[in-house]
Amino acid sequence: MEKKDIKKVLLLGSGALKIGQAGEFDYSGAQALKALKEEGIHSVLINPNIATVQTSKGVADTVYFQPVQADFVERVIEKERPDGILLSFGGQTALNCGVELYEKGVLEKYGVKVLGTPVQAIIDTEDRDLFVKRLDEIGVKTIKSHACESVEEVQKAAHELGFPVILRAAYALGGLGSGFCDNEEELLAQAEEAFSFSQQVLVEKSLKGWKEIEYEVVRDRYDNCITVCNMENLDPLGIHTGESIVVAPSQTLSNSEYHKLRALAIKIIRHIGIVGECNVQYALDPQSEDYRVIEVNARLSRSSALASKATGYPLAFVAAKLGLGYGLFELKNSVTKTTSAFFEPALDYVVVKIPRWDLTKFHGVKRQLGSSMKSVGEVMAIGRTFEEALQKGLRMIGQGMHGFVENHEIKIADIATSLHEPTDMRIFVVSKAMKVGYTVEQIHQLTMIDRWFLQKLKHIVDVDQRLKQFAQVSEFIGFMDNTELLEYLEAPEFVALLREAKVYGFSDFQIARALGLESRMSMTDAGLMVRSWRKEFDIVPTVNQIDTLAAEYPAQTNYLYLSYL
């Protein structure tokens, strides 16, 4: 079917609001609908979630507030008779529904063409057994695993592989039903849970402690491919990506590792035959260049939304156009208006994604993090250094924190246990551990977080300690007259320290608390005082723009950030 023959397209949304789904995929669906509107194509949306942008008036031409389930979708297809259907913009719910429609023959019955990635490619990536076989064909390593359809098969597979193992439910959302098992008892309990979500469960050898890396890859029907963004989890393998702090671009990979995984991602997407966008997730051995492909999402994901905002590359918009038959070389980046869509973004800044939990709302909930999602949202922060972006993000998660340091005191019964068994407070446990004298190496052994990240976190603690030491040595808080105080603070070493603190993400509030100003004034006034010092010493932020290679396009607030470097 040619582009000119596509007059009406059905888009499957992500369904009702729940953890790991719906709100997260509104961005991709809304972008796809904008792409259809630009092409003059009548869009039909099925999504029961009214709390979204895509269901707002004027975004889609026709909206059905119906469940994203095969029976309901078939009735809409029968009534609307669309020429094509988009499956990859509504997360796992839309993908599963599309596969069911295909297998039941509904799409063939009504002559509806699947736009973008073919359904067989979706099945190849979703069926764990088929996925391993497909990647074996091109010599790409996957995690050693067994696909099982009964508890007995799970037990047999676990004993063949040897503990520890991880169980994954096929076609599951947000890691539902997955978990690590160290013994028979844990295996049986996890198997029962996994089979409640899926008929197929994959038993895999555990690679806990390996790095988790992701690549967002785009391919058109002419076999042109680019990698738009690569990301690295701060936490090692064993914690769901949605539960982990994610950094873009990757910070700890060598040049060899980066290009090896990039080449593999392109090789995979070409072999499977994906058209549009996909996400390739790797486990990488921190002691070598050994790797395993964890999974390939043949759809837009939470990571895709992060990558789009982090790079200024509208992944979902471009993916929708590619589904209509365009080539990458035919499209312009709709954000920059100048660069081609066949252009890999260059990042001279660091983006950090931090999840947010609301576990305190629930009685008896386990705070431990694992391979199944519990987070209810996330924030994204941008800075010129990792430390700056991290501290910005920690201030935004709504947990009353001011950054990595200078927060209210956190009571931790056993720091070593809390480091080894991650919870929603893990990053602040690391801060506490450094404060009481744990070394980078000790924390690395307990958490398996890469030493590079820990060294950067230690740097924040060191800057904080130097601010404290300056306050103690100078006893400057004895000055009551701000003019006299300012003259004293004009010493080059203090100005340099103040500038360094701002470059690495300290807020005025954090600096004021580190300097002990709480003892002489309210913290609001203290923060304002630090701000007045900064302005006096010309320590002010600059406005930076994402995608600096296309700096001539009109500034858009969505793609600007402040930095002191």
Side-chain angles (χ1 to χ4, degrees):
M1 184 183 291
E2 296 297 318
K3 291 193 289 283
K4 59 182 175 59
D5 299 323
I6 303 173
K7 307 296 182 185
K8 183 184 284 190
V9 170
L10 173 64
L11 186 142
L12 301 186
S14 53
L17 276 171
K18 50 189 177 290
I19 288 178
Q21 181 77 333
E24 291 93 329
F25 297 100
D26 185 32
Y27 178 79
S28 54
Q31 289 289 312
L33 291 168
K34 287 179 183 178
L36 294 176
K37 188 177 286 289
E38 187 174 278
E39 291 297 312
I41 295 171
H42 185 95
S43 58
V44 180
L45 170 69
I46 300 180
N47 194 357
N49 182 6
I50 60 170
T52 56
V53 172
Q54 62 187 255
T55 51
S56 298
K57 185 177 180 181
V59 179
D61 295 306
T62 306
V63 180
Y64 286 86
F65 292 103
Q66 299 293 334
V68 185
Q69 296 172 2
D71 293 343
F72 289 96
V73 175
E74 182 176 0
R75 290 185 216 171
V76 173
I77 290 174
E78 185 180 7
K79 179 183 177 184
E80 294 287 344
R81 297 301 175 104
D83 303 304
I85 185 170
L86 290 169
L87 307 178
S88 52
F89 297 88
Q92 198 66 48
T93 298
L95 218 55
N96 292 351
C97 181
V99 170
E100 188 177 344
L101 291 167
Y102 172 79
E103 291 177 338
K104 284 183 173 180
V106 173
L107 301 180
E108 185 180 5
K109 177 181 177 182
Y110 293 100
V112 182
K113 177 178 172 56
V114 175
L115 304 177
T117 301
V119 177
Q120 189 54 53
I122 294 170
I123 294 170
D124 287 347
T125 57
E126 292 295 317
D127 185 303
R128 300 284 181 173
D129 202 21
L130 278 176
F131 176 65
V132 172
K133 290 175 182 174
R134 289 286 280 153
L135 265 59
D136 281 346
E137 293 170 3
I138 53 172
V140 172
K141 296 180 182 179
T142 52
I143 297 174
K144 191 176 181 184
S145 59
H146 294 277
C148 306
E149 296 182 356
S150 70
V151 175
E152 291 73 23
E153 287 183 24
V154 167
Q155 286 178 290
K156 182 181 177 184
H159 287 291
E160 282 183 22
L161 293 170
F163 290 106
V165 295
I166 179 174
L167 267 58
R168 295 178 185 274
Y171 296 92
L173 164 72
L176 282 177
S178 68
F180 290 89
C181 308
D182 294 321
N183 53 53
E184 189 81 16
E185 185 181 350
E186 292 178 5
L187 181 78
L188 292 172
Q190 194 63 56
E192 186 178 342
E193 182 183 352
F195 279 116
S196 68
F197 294 107
S198 175
Q199 294 179 342
Q200 185 192 72
V201 172
L202 200 72
V203 183
E204 300 174 345
K205 185 66 180 171
S206 171
L207 296 177
K208 234 177 182 178
W210 287 32
K211 295 180 184 181
E212 187 164 354
I213 311 291
E214 299 179 56
Y215 280 74
E216 297 293 328
V217 197
V218 173
R219 176 179 176 268
D220 64 20
R221 65 173 182 163
Y222 304 104
D223 209 25
N224 297 308
C225 295
I226 61 169
T227 57
V228 172
C229 185
N230 90 308
M231 292 167 274
E232 176 177 10
N233 286 17
L234 183 141
D235 296 292
L237 197 70
I239 297 177
H240 192 284
T241 301
E243 305 284 83
S244 181
I245 293 174
V246 177
V247 186
S250 59
Q251 300 295 304
T252 72
L253 298 191
S254 67
N255 191 53
S256 172
E257 289 169 334
Y258 171 83
H259 285 288
K260 178 178 181 177
L261 297 183
R262 178 186 179 277
L264 283 169
I266 292 173
K267 185 177 182 180
I268 291 166
I269 193 174
R270 282 177 167 155
H271 181 66
I272 292 175
I274 288 166
V275 175
E277 196 271 351
C278 86
N279 168 271
V280 183
Q281 295 180 19
Y282 296 98
L284 180 68
D285 182 3
Q287 307 303 325
S288 69
E289 288 193 3
D290 195 14
Y291 74 92
R292 298 290 185 277
V293 175
I294 301 170
E295 65 180 359
V296 173
N297 286 314
R299 56 175 171 82
L300 278 293
S301 64
R302 278 176 299 277
S303 300
S304 310
L306 171 64
S308 295
K309 295 176 176 69
T311 61
Y313 188 102
L315 275 166
F317 188 90
V318 170
K321 293 277 185 145
L322 298 182
L324 295 174
Y326 282 96
L328 281 166
F329 52 88
E330 298 177 275
L331 301 173
K332 289 282 188 187
N333 182 319
S334 61
V335 173
T336 66
K337 310 293 186 187
T338 54
T339 49
S340 165
F342 201 5
F343 171 84
E344 294 190 356
L347 278 66
D348 61 349
Y349 49 88
V350 179
V351 177
V352 173
K353 183 270 295 185
I354 302 177
R356 174 195 162 86
W357 296 268
D358 272 332
L359 301 183
T360 51
K361 288 183 177 179
F362 306 101
H363 294 290
V365 68
K366 291 182 179 178
R367 300 187 80 100
Q368 276 73 31
L369 305 182
S371 57
S372 182
M373 269 189 71
K374 295 178 183 177
S375 62
V376 295
E378 56 194 28
V379 300
M380 185 187 89
I382 311 171
R384 298 303 290 271
T385 65
F386 168 72
E387 295 97 317
E388 179 192 11
L390 179 80
Q391 295 222 83
K392 281 181 177 178
L394 292 175
R395 283 195 283 277
M396 291 192 292
I397 55 175
Q399 291 184 321
M401 300 301 183
H402 303 292
F404 185 65
V405 292
E406 297 303 338
N407 299 307
H408 56 77
E409 195 65 26
I410 302 171
K411 293 181 180 178
I412 303 166
D414 186 340
I415 291 178
T417 301
S418 297
L419 288 171
H420 184 62
E421 299 173 3
T423 68
D424 55 317
M425 298 298 288
R426 185 183 216 186
I427 190 70
F428 302 111
V429 175
V430 173
S431 177
K432 176 89 171 182
M434 288 180 171
K435 187 176 177 182
V436 300
Y438 277 68
T439 65
V440 165
E441 188 58 34
Q442 286 173 320
I443 297 173
H444 169 71
Q445 293 301 328
L446 288 164
T447 63
M448 297 308 293
I449 295 173
D450 192 276
R451 293 178 184 86
W452 187 92
F453 289 120
L454 295 175
Q455 291 285 4
K456 295 296 181 182
L457 297 176
K458 181 67 166 58
H459 181 219
I460 297 174
V461 173
D462 289 344
V463 172
D464 186 52
Q465 288 301 316
R466 282 156 54 203
L467 286 166
K468 283 180 160 60
Q469 287 164 8
F470 181 87
Q472 291 166 3
V473 172
S474 64
E475 297 181 349
F476 71 88
I477 59 172
F479 290 98
M480 296 307 294
D481 179 70
N482 196 38
T483 305
E484 185 182 1
L485 174 61
L486 195 59
E487 290 175 1
Y488 183 82
L489 293 176
E490 285 176 343
E493 60 268 24
F494 180 74
V495 176
L497 180 57
L498 190 60
R499 187 179 300 277
E500 184 180 0
K502 296 305 294 184
V503 165
Y504 293 107
F506 282 72
S507 67
D508 294 340
F509 186 95
Q510 279 176 292
I511 294 170
R513 178 170 278 179
L515 292 172
L517 296 182
E518 280 177 297
S519 62
R520 62 178 288 202
M521 62 187 73
S522 72
M523 284 309 295
T524 300
D525 289 340
L528 289 172
M529 178 177 279
V530 172
R531 181 172 182 266
S532 70
W533 297 345
R534 284 198 297 101
K535 294 179 78 173
E536 185 71 25
F537 304 143
D538 196 31
I539 303 173
V540 292
T542 56
V543 179
N544 299 275
Q545 186 170 274
I546 286 180
D547 195 358
T548 52
L549 292 178
E552 65 271 20
Y553 74 88
Q556 299 184 31
T557 53
N558 287 12
Y559 297 96
L560 300 176
Y561 67 97
L562 296 176
S563 180
Y564 286 83
L565 187 62

